[in-house]
Amino acid sequence: MSMQAHTDISTPAVLAPVIAIDGPTASGKGTVANRVARALGYACLDSGALYRIIGLLAIEGGVDQSGADGLCGLAAGLAPVFEDGRIWIDGREITEDIRREDVGAAASRVAAVAPLRLALLDLQRRQRRLPGLVADGRDMGTVVFPDAALKVFLVADVQVRAERRFKQLMDKGYPATLPVLLRGMQERDQRDQSREFAPLVPAPDAMVLDSSTLTADAVVAQVLQWYSGRA
Ligand code: C5P
């Protein structure tokens, strides 16, 4: 599915319901968003992947990670293709590359640049289509889809999140150490929460859910229960 393929103005995009799932890194948003989307037959938007793509391109192209012009240049005409959990840009598969820790850190730096965030708004909003969209990120409920039918803010203890990420990286055979991951995660949380534009904060009408001691199944069940209560 190309992210540029959904610009058909005959689609009554405004009617498609959105479930916004926001929260800090490794809080389980991606897994939960995918599973909720699958359960409902909705599309899924991994907005963090967009910032990661810009982070990757900035690293590779030696582009200043705080410079609006260079970053907006990378975002212009960006047409990632998301298919079966894999991601391509310009025919190149970058599924694994964008999950690197250095790319995550770059994503968090470029995400603090307000003009880049604005440049990526339209691309994100174009994913809203019937029968519905589950969008995960940091500002889905506050900025990108403020009229979302359900807003969930998923949190988890930073130590638990670092351990989850450590396990994911080990499973994939990537080198990592827990203390380094923990420090990087704390830095990233701090940067995401304190940036001026679209900081990582729950929307006033968000349901906050702490997943530290919950299984993914339990979180998915809770989100679906909240959603069915609103439908
Ligand atoms: O969710 P993920 O860890 O893949 O996101 C990578 C980075 O992209 C985050 O640390 C955050 O800084 C940024 N991001 C954001 N807004 C979003 C999604 C991600 O600022 N909606």
Side-chain angles (χ1 to χ4, degrees), residues 138-162:
R138 304 294 187 287
D139 59 344
M140 298 297 98
T142 50
V143 176
V144 183
F145 302 110
D147 63 336
L150 173 66
K151 300 177 186 179
V152 178
F153 195 80
L154 201 55
V155 295
D157 179 76
V158 69
Q159 181 77 33
V160 172
R161 289 189 280 127

Side-chain angles (χ1 to χ4, degrees), residues 25 29 47-48 51-52 99 107-108 111 117 137-140 188 192 195:
T25 196
K29 303 180 304 291
S47 62
Y51 293 96
R52 286 175 179 270
R99 298 296 152 200
S108 149
R117 302 195 71 88
R138 304 294 187 287
D139 59 344
M140 298 297 98
R188 196 156 0 140
D192 288 352
R195 69 180 171 225

Side-chain angles (χ1 to χ4, degrees), residues 88 124 135 207:
W88 286 265
Q124 296 173 84
M207 310 293 285

Side-chain angles (χ1 to χ4, degrees), residues 35-170:
R35 289 179 50 180
V36 168
R38 216 176 313 135
L40 296 168
Y42 285 10
C44 198
L45 167 65
D46 170 8
S47 62
L50 302 178
Y51 293 96
R52 286 175 179 270
I53 290 170
I54 300 295
L56 175 68
L57 294 176
I59 291 172
E60 292 181 348
V63 173
D64 176 6
Q65 294 177 15
S66 58
D69 288 352
L71 296 175
C72 289
L74 295 177
L78 185 69
V81 175
F82 289 77
E83 212 167 81
D84 298 331
R86 313 211 67 82
I87 310 176
W88 286 265
I89 40 168
D90 298 328
R92 167 190 169 200
E93 190 182 348
I94 41 117
T95 315
E96 304 295 334
D97 287 343
I98 62 164
R99 298 296 152 200
R100 292 186 341 229
E101 280 303 295
D102 63 325
V103 173
S108 149
R109 282 191 287 272
V110 303
V113 177
L116 174 70
R117 302 195 71 88
L118 291 172
L120 291 175
L121 260 187
D122 188 47
L123 183 58
Q124 296 173 84
R125 288 184 175 150
R126 284 204 309 263
Q127 308 316 308
R128 185 176 194 166
R129 58 187 180 275
L130 293 169
L133 177 71
V134 183
D136 91 72
R138 304 294 187 287
D139 59 344
M140 298 297 98
T142 50
V143 176
V144 183
F145 302 110
D147 63 336
L150 173 66
K151 300 177 186 179
V152 178
F153 195 80
L154 201 55
V155 295
D157 179 76
V158 69
Q159 181 77 33
V160 172
R161 289 189 280 127
E163 283 166 14
R164 281 181 191 162
R165 178 59 53 83
F166 182 68
K167 187 171 177 315
Q168 282 168 358
L169 293 173
M170 289 296 105

